[in-house]
């Protein structure tokens, strides 16, 4: 028996997609990728790999999240090469079906030593880590309420949304507002306070000790995203919590392997019970292919180097201060960042894109425009992230170039 087909649909799918993309481009929010190649041993120099003849062949990148240039570290490269020759590529499956190796176990052990926490779990990305941890805990703790900073990352927002639990949004970095909200709720229900240590777009730092005090008063778990801090803060680079001496007072620390560590992946460190709970119930961990051993081995080696990289951390922060001062002296509008992140406010998506393109094409400096939805409309910006290997000449060069563009070109 055949099926009768009625052509009653009126939706033109391709037209819908084209129209949405046209609006995005008209608003200046269409994302243009710069095809670049980081040449080993020459970071922060990159070469252009695309087909546009008007692009410079070589430029200095100012927007890499490889904050500590660990993607270039010779020790890490050697370990990865040896691992590749030893085990080949790929993990072979999920963690519970063929995808757990001695390399994964070693990395998780190294993470416990780094953060001085009982247990650790590695995920395929920081985004997946946040999504999985918050969605799993929020869904399974009975009547749980999650208190989320208003500027939290998309991955945290998605995790909270998918948990289906109640949420409260407190004003950004405002412990008083958090206290007000949490004080209104049933004292007996489970609670999680979710926030970041360093906020990557404004470069500000959370009032961690105040949040911990509130959590203790109201019997709430604390969850802190340290992805823009690990490797760069604290005596061994374990993050702002280490720098403040409060790692043992935070219940869950989430970090990334894809920024200062120079690899890819995410992780959590917490009590053995919390980690095992997420490992056992978290779909984002259970059902995804494990990170390749070569990446995991590289991350372990990188962390070992970073734990002793005090001089590089000092240089990173010195370069960030020098870049801020260079911008200030040229009356370039920098947000009052307290971290290594240097945001220059532009306030218009099209102008932000045009400044970025001029900076790259005319002056060979790469700073990607940051537009909505990453930041709110009207707060578009260029986000500069110096590394320990950016030079004084590079700092003054990009400041001079940006000053000239803002005054004379756009």
């Amino acid at each position: 028996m055949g099926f009768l087909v009625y052509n009653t649909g009126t939706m033109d799918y391709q037209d819908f997609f084209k129209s949405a993309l046209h609006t995005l481009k008209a608003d200046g929010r269409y994302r243009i990728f710069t095809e670049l190649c980081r040449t080993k041993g020459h970071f922060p120099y990159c070469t252009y790999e695309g087909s546009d003849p008007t692009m410079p062949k070589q430029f200095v990148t100012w927007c890499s999240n490889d904050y500590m240039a660990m993607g270039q570290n010779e020790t890490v490269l050697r370990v990865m090469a040896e691992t590749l020759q030893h085990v080949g590529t790929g993990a072979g499956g999920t963690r519970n079906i063929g995808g757990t190796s001695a390399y994964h176990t070693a990395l998780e052990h190294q993470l416990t030593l780094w953060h001085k926490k009982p247990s650790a779990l590695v995920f395929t990305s920081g985004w997946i880590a946040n999504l999985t941890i918050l969605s799993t805990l929020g869904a399974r703790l009975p009547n749980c309420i999650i208190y989320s900073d208003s500027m939290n990352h998309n991955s945290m927002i998605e995790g909270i949304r998918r948990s289906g639990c109640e949420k409260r949004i407190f004003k950004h970095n405002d412990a008083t507002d958090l206290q007000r909200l949490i004080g209104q709720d049933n004292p007996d229900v489970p609670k999680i306070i979710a926030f970041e240590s360093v906020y990557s777009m404004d470069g500000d730092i959370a009032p961690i000790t105040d949040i911990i005090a509130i959590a203790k008063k109201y019997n709430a778990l604390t969850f802190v995203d340290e992805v823009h801090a690990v490797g760069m803060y604290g005596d061994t680079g374990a993050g702002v919590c280490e720098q403040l001496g409060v790692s043992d007072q935070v219940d869950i620390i989430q970090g990334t392997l894809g920024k200062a560590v120079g690899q890819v992946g995410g992780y959590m460190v917490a009590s053995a019970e919390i980690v095992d709970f997420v490992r056992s119930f978290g779909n984002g961990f259970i059902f995804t292919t494990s990170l390749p051993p070569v990446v995991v081995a590289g991350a372990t080696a990188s962390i070992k180097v970073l734990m002793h990289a005090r001089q590089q951390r000092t240089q990173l922060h010195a370069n960030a201060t020098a870049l801020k001062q260079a911008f200030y002296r040229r009356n370039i509008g920098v947000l009052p960042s307290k971290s290594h992140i240097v945001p220059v406010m532009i306030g218009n998506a099209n102008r932000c894109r045009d400044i970025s393109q001029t900076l790259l094409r005319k002056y060979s400096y790469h700073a990607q425009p940051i537009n909505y939805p990453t930041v709110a409309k009207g707060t578009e910006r260029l986000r500069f992230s110096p590394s320990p290997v950016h030079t004084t000449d590079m700092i003054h060069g990009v400041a001079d170039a940006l000053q000239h563009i803002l005054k004379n070109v756009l």
Side-chain angles (χ1 to χ4, degrees), residues 20-183:
L21 290 169
H22 175 77
T23 300
L24 201 65
K25 291 175 181 178
D27 290 346
R29 296 188 291 112
Y30 185 74
R31 296 169 190 255
I32 300 171
F33 300 149
T34 302
E35 299 175 49
L36 58 84
C37 179
R38 303 194 307 165
T39 306
K40 182 172 74 74
H42 294 282
F43 186 78
Y45 285 104
C46 297
T47 56
Y48 175 64
E49 297 290 298
S51 57
D52 186 346
T54 67
M55 290 284 284
K57 295 300 181 184
Q58 187 181 67
F59 53 86
V60 173
T61 184
W62 278 102
C63 55
S64 173
N65 283 341
D66 187 3
Y67 294 127
M68 294 288 285
M70 290 305 295
Q72 309 287 305
N73 184 271
E74 290 294 339
T75 299
V76 175
L77 295 175
R78 175 181 53 77
V79 167
M80 293 184 75
E82 291 172 353
T83 305
L84 182 65
Q85 292 301 315
H86 182 59
V87 300
T89 64
T94 62
R95 284 292 298 271
N96 67 317
I97 307 178
T100 295
S101 69
Y103 297 100
H104 294 81
T105 304
L107 173 58
E108 288 169 345
H109 177 66
Q110 188 63 44
L111 288 166
T112 66
L113 297 178
W114 199 20
H115 290 278
K116 297 180 174 61
K117 288 286 191 183
S119 190
L121 192 65
V122 172
F123 298 81
T124 51
S125 73
W127 198 93
I128 291 296
N130 273 340
L131 176 79
T132 304
I133 300 163
L134 289 171
S135 64
T136 303
L137 295 178
R140 290 186 173 270
L141 283 169
N143 303 311
C144 181
I145 303 172
I146 298 182
Y147 301 81
S148 176
D149 187 287
S150 64
M151 295 292 286
N152 275 345
H153 190 265
N154 168 268
S155 56
M156 300 171 76
I157 294 169
E158 283 296 308
I160 295 167
R161 184 181 68 81
R162 295 190 189 194
S163 75
C165 74
E166 286 195 55
K167 66 178 184 295
R168 310 281 186 262
I169 310 300
F170 61 92
K171 296 174 184 176
H172 178 51
N173 280 348
D174 191 333
T176 301
D177 194 47
L178 170 62
Q179 167 87 48
R180 178 185 66 83
L181 290 171
I182 202 168

Side-chain angles (χ1 to χ4, degrees), residues 27 54 83 95 112 148 161 164 166 175 178 196 230 240 267 291 302 319 385 393 402 406:
D27 290 346
T54 67
T83 305
R95 284 292 298 271
T112 66
S148 176
R161 184 181 68 81
E166 286 195 55
L178 170 62
E196 302 178 39
V230 290
V240 178
Y267 64 87
L291 287 173
S302 179
N319 284 350
S385 50
D393 286 344
L402 188 55
L406 293 173

Side-chain angles (χ1 to χ4, degrees), residues 141-279:
L141 283 169
N143 303 311
C144 181
I145 303 172
I146 298 182
Y147 301 81
S148 176
D149 187 287
S150 64
M151 295 292 286
N152 275 345
H153 190 265
N154 168 268
S155 56
M156 300 171 76
I157 294 169
E158 283 296 308
I160 295 167
R161 184 181 68 81
R162 295 190 189 194
S163 75
C165 74
E166 286 195 55
K167 66 178 184 295
R168 310 281 186 262
I169 310 300
F170 61 92
K171 296 174 184 176
H172 178 51
N173 280 348
D174 191 333
T176 301
D177 194 47
L178 170 62
Q179 167 87 48
R180 178 185 66 83
L181 290 171
I182 202 168
Q184 295 173 350
D185 285 319
N186 184 341
D188 296 326
V189 302
K191 300 174 178 67
I192 302 171
I193 304 172
F195 61 102
E196 302 178 39
S197 59
V198 176
Y199 287 84
S200 64
M201 290 300 116
D202 287 359
D204 52 346
I205 297 175
I208 297 176
T209 54
D210 292 340
I211 293 174
I212 290 172
I214 293 169
K216 288 181 178 179
K217 180 178 179 180
Y218 292 95
N219 191 32
L221 292 173
T222 44
F223 174 101
V224 60
D225 175 320
E226 287 250 51
V227 299
H228 290 278
V230 290
M232 295 165 287
Y233 296 84
D235 185 54
T236 70
V240 178
C241 289
E242 181 190 42
Q243 182 171 284
L244 296 174
V246 296
S247 295
D248 60 330
Q249 300 178 56
V250 174
D251 295 293
I252 304 164
I253 295 174
Q254 183 269 343
T256 183
L257 308 172
K259 293 181 171 62
V261 178
Q263 298 292 326
V264 64
Y267 64 87
M268 67 179 292
V269 288
S271 69
E273 292 78 13
I274 291 176
V275 169
D276 199 17
F277 186 88
V278 174
R279 184 190 72 87

